[in-house]
Amino acid sequence: MAFQKAVKGTILVGGGALASVLGLSQFAHYRRKQVSLAYVEAAECVTEPVNREPPSREAQLLTLQNMSEFDILVIGGGATGCGCALDAVTRGLKTALVERDDFSSGTSSRSTKLIHGGVRYLQKAIMKLDIEQYRMVKEALHERANLLEIAPHLSAPLPIMLPIYKWWQLPYYWVGIKLYDLVAGSNCLKSSYVLSKSRALEHFPMLQKDKLVGAIVYYDGQHNDARMNLAIALTAARYGAATANYMEVVSLLKKTDPHTGKERVSGARCKDVLTGQEFDVRAKCVINATGPFTDTVRKMDDKNATAICQPSAGVHIVMPGYYSPESMGLLDPATSDGRVIFFLPWQKMTIAGTTDTPTDVTHHPIPSEEDINFILNEVRNYLSCDVEVRRGDVLAAWSGIRPLVTDPKSADTQSISRNHVVDISESGLITIAGGKWTTYRSMAEDTINAAIKAHNFKAGPSRTVGLFLQGGKDWSPTLYIRLVQDYGLESEVAQHLAATYGDKAFEVAKMASVTGKRWPIVGVRLVSEFPYIEAEVKYGIKEYACTAVDMISRRTRLAFLNVQAAEEALPRIVELMGRELNWDDFKKEEELETARKFLYYEMGYKSRSEQLTDRSEISLLPSDIDRYKKRFHKFDADQKGFITIVDVQRVLESINVQMDENTLHEILNEVDLNKNGQVELNEFLQLMSAIQKGRVSGSRLAILMKTAEENLDRRVPIPVDRSCGGF
């Protein structure tokens, strides 16, 4: 059957099939909340959810097994799939959803964290007089306003600066950005404005000053993408949809239509990935919302089906928060190869990306060193020479696969349409492909409209406009204060809980462990530098977390913020999950190994660790080598040629510094390249060389040894006559 095209969804190169949002500090979050958001009115009054809390995964599996037939079965637990399930169930249709991995485990959690209309595509619409692209941008701006309205705890407006380095660009970009405001109409978050050079540097002091003319600031939205996806899934479950993660579709079920004699899709054979159990889930209508894996499911239906998706990889990196202001992003509209780069504050860190390159479809995309360095080089072009952009400052990196709809006339993926396409096969399988994060709701609406028409379901119009997602209804910018006052949580932790769980934050606070300190009273952190607490692990299981990877990447965002911190938190997370889920020692070890492999390959730990290996060159000046040798020999007093934990402990004790043996072992292990339990002089020089080149930063051993050397040098023998003679 011919494609039924929906004139929807655009995407800025930074956004992919799913763009996203960014978290900032609660103060900045609160300030941006003051921007007046357009009120979005729901199409109809929606009845209250049937469940106060989402049913357990076990209960959902029983529903999937025992229901004789659903109206709708959605395959895919990303933003679009969960959006379809929510749209269908709120129209009164019996709805099921299955996902082979975790909710938001694919592209939906690996976006640029923006909710945007598409500045770049408005430019194309005007330059080419393309009415379709104009409509796409206009609808995306409406969806942006709706998403900010229905999940205020997870999203917020974000000012984005466009630096101008040529005078002629100022009126050119100003007209374009003003048209963006105009197209948004009543959904405009806040009017764009022009900044002088001095004001631009005041707002963004890290900016390259040379030849800077001024800047234009416009507003788009940002969100916590994985948590937003999860909120959609949990909301669908509360309204009565049978949703289950780790349920893989093995094959599609078919039956012969008695009226036409043709085979029709009638459900799916599903396998519980965690237990291996298989059973059939029957449904009148099956929807394929599997993103990059769209064609895999289409070929289950018809092995001769033509491919309609061309995957494109988008890599992002996370750097320390000091690389950007905490409440303003930056847009590079024309990189060295014509791509667009965003440089944005996110969860008190800085996110930069994205790339846009053709790729193969895989469940485990890996960020390449080439893409990471491309982003770093583009960042260097826009930041002041006073700011050294170091490879070692990349704390995490990931690659997301965008399911772009193929345009056969396109020469490269960048000109492929980001429109979404609703396709109905001869056997009745409905496929929703393409699109972007911002327009997930309208994509779902179009898909369910097509399902209702194709199967003659008795259902009214979509009811998801203005429908609050889980945690959003009773959230307020000051909710965190009640958490501090009522439970004795740290302010930073309370702000984080409010911004992550919304009005459900109180349930997490009730689970929080007593710290044993005067303050905070409750809320034991998983790692010291992030506000995630142990209670979130217990609560995450209620949110369908089944593995340690679910917890470090999508219930919390540790893996996306700092891979080393995530690895540090892993043993405790596995211990807590093991208690709740009755894991034996073998299962715990398996979870640890799987999670570490995930961090190593998919979150950039491999690329980070390869910056310092036993093959690393030593490129130091002779004077630097002498200086570092002297530092090393302060620890290697016996001139052995290596240092051990005992040597480090001896020096630390001499300057009255206490450090436990396990921590020291971890510190030395980071530099022990040949893993023989000691750090040789050559390894130390390799480390210092890598630090000088910017490939490595934040080395605990390097900082520890430098600090110890300075303390030792400051110690001057006290003359006897100044100590009153002594004994």
Side-chain angles (χ1 to χ4, degrees), residues 5 11 123 168 183 211 266 272 294 326 368 381 411 446 499:
K5 279 201 174 181
I11 164 176
Q123 179 191 25
W168 68 265
V183 172
K211 298 181 181 179
S266 60
D272 187 336
T294 291
E326 68 172 20
S368 72
N381 292 337
D446 290 341

Side-chain angles (χ1 to χ4, degrees), residues 167-206:
W167 281 107
W168 68 265
Q169 291 179 335
L170 194 58
Y172 175 78
Y173 284 122
W174 181 82
V175 170
I177 295 298
K178 279 300 173 186
L179 283 172
Y180 192 59
D181 292 347
L182 187 64
V183 172
S186 62
N187 293 322
C188 182
L189 303 180
K190 190 175 181 181
S191 183
S192 58
Y193 55 93
V194 176
L195 290 175
S196 65
K197 177 179 178 178
S198 60
R199 289 285 290 161
L201 291 171
E202 188 178 317
H203 283 280
F204 211 117
M206 311 84 174

